[in-house]
Amino acid sequence: IMKLTISRKKFVKNAIFIHIQKTAGTSDQNIALHHYGNDQVCSHGDYLKLDLEACKKFQFISGHFGIKFAEPLLSDRYLFTFLRDPTDRIISLYKFLSRQPADQSVLAAAASSEDLKGFLMRANELEFANRLWNNQAWQLHSGWVSAAVLPDLKRDVETDPRDIDPVAMTEGARQNLRRFDRIGFVESFDRDIRKIFKDLGAPHIKVPKSNSSASSFEIADKETLSLIDEITELDRLVFEDAKKLFLAK
């Protein structure tokens, strides 16, 4: 009896996943690795080392980039991302960084030596702003890009979201929501990731939990709450719009 060998490529669509930090992205990528195979997945910071043509060779492209990076790759790809309640995302990021070796990064050093309030007060510094200041709205408006793909832009580390007019960022992010095939939410992760991979041609998936940082601890200090509100104001507007568009789908 002749055995029929079927390529995964015939059943799994090409995809691009905008991985916003602390939105269950590592779990997404682990599922992708299983269904696409290691040699077909570009993840985390891989994209920084590649040019546009090299990126196109991967079936599944993901990383901490924004939609500006994704644009040249969208013609034949399913576009998705995950969003998270902005306050929960900030707290989760702080807890995750506080467990990292202090010499790993400036942010890890600050998180391991400062309380949450002290950590958030660093948000006016560029390295912190890139990850704290309305990060979800920024990624959906433009976000991290790669100079290899868009060589006329400055290096990624020099990109400052605070240089963008807040109204323009919010409106741009809101408009870009409609470019996504689907947006999932960390709060409904299991349901949403199953829908996404069903869309991609993999209806039966195992859903792992990877690299998770719970955000549940009580913040009593009003100044800390005020800081969170200040640096996530645009995120909250975009998050609510995204829920209206995608939560019921």
Side-chain angles (χ1 to χ4, degrees), residues 4-246:
L4 181 63
T5 301
I6 301 175
S7 168
R8 282 177 177 158
K9 292 184 180 181
K10 294 181 180 179
F11 287 90
V12 187
K13 295 179 183 177
N14 291 345
I16 188 160
F17 166 49
I18 295 177
H19 178 187
I20 298 169
Q21 197 170 18
K22 303 317 298 174
T23 60
T26 300
S27 294
D28 295 342
Q29 289 163 5
N30 286 343
I31 296 170
L33 286 167
H34 176 74
H35 288 279
Y36 287 87
N38 289 348
D39 61 341
Q40 288 298 325
V41 175
C42 171
S43 66
H44 294 88
D46 293 347
Y47 77 101
L48 293 170
K49 306 167 188 175
L50 305 172
D51 61 17
L52 183 60
E53 292 307 310
C55 287
K56 287 179 178 178
K57 294 177 182 177
F58 292 92
Q59 277 191 276
F60 188 95
I61 304 170
S62 64
H64 294 305
F65 48 73
I67 199 162
K68 284 293 182 187
F69 172 86
E71 280 175 345
L73 300 159
L74 288 181
S75 61
D76 64 341
R77 292 181 185 273
Y78 179 99
L79 176 65
F80 75 99
T81 192
F82 270 80
L83 301 179
R84 185 174 189 170
D85 174 86
T87 298
D88 286 350
R89 194 196 78 86
I90 288 287
I91 295 170
S92 178
L93 179 62
Y94 169 73
K95 294 182 73 175
F96 169 74
L97 289 167
S98 69
R99 295 196 293 269
Q100 305 305 302
D103 60 358
Q104 183 167 300
S105 68
V106 175
L107 277 85
S112 61
S113 62
E114 301 271 6
D115 61 12
L116 179 59
K117 178 181 175 182
F119 178 76
L120 296 176
M121 289 180 71
R122 304 281 298 273
N124 63 336
E125 300 173 27
L126 178 58
E127 288 183 82
F128 289 79
N130 279 334
R131 292 164 178 82
L132 298 177
W133 193 87
N134 292 297
N135 186 259
Q136 296 181 95
W138 177 49
Q139 296 290 71
L140 295 174
H141 170 273
S142 50
W144 295 105
V145 295
S146 169
V149 175
L150 302 172
D152 57 320
L153 296 174
K154 294 180 179 179
R155 291 180 59 222
D156 307 80
V157 293
E158 296 171 344
T159 306
D160 190 338
R162 298 165 301 173
D163 289 341
I164 304 168
D165 175 74
V167 174
M169 181 185 288
T170 306
E171 289 309 306
R174 282 170 160 167
Q175 290 174 21
N176 284 334
L177 289 174
R178 290 163 176 80
R179 302 175 71 178
F180 285 82
D181 293 282
R182 194 178 290 275
I183 290 177
F185 301 89
V186 171
E187 294 78 9
S188 53
F189 178 78
D190 282 23
R191 182 194 68 193
D192 293 345
I193 197 63
R194 293 180 194 282
K195 287 180 178 179
I196 286 165
F197 274 86
K198 183 178 180 181
D199 291 348
L200 290 172
H204 306 293
I205 63 169
K206 291 183 179 180
V207 181
K209 293 294 187 296
S210 306
N211 203 21
S212 61
S213 300
S215 57
S216 57
F217 67 81
E218 199 170 319
I219 304 173
D221 180 52
K222 290 183 179 179
E223 289 186 19
T224 302
L225 289 171
S226 179
L227 279 170
I228 292 174
D229 287 346
E230 181 182 339
I231 64 179
T232 64
E233 180 181 3
L234 310 185
D235 276 354
R236 283 181 275 117
L237 295 173
V238 174
F239 183 73
E240 290 304 315
D241 273 15
K243 286 198 296 185
K244 291 174 185 175
L245 283 171
F246 288 97

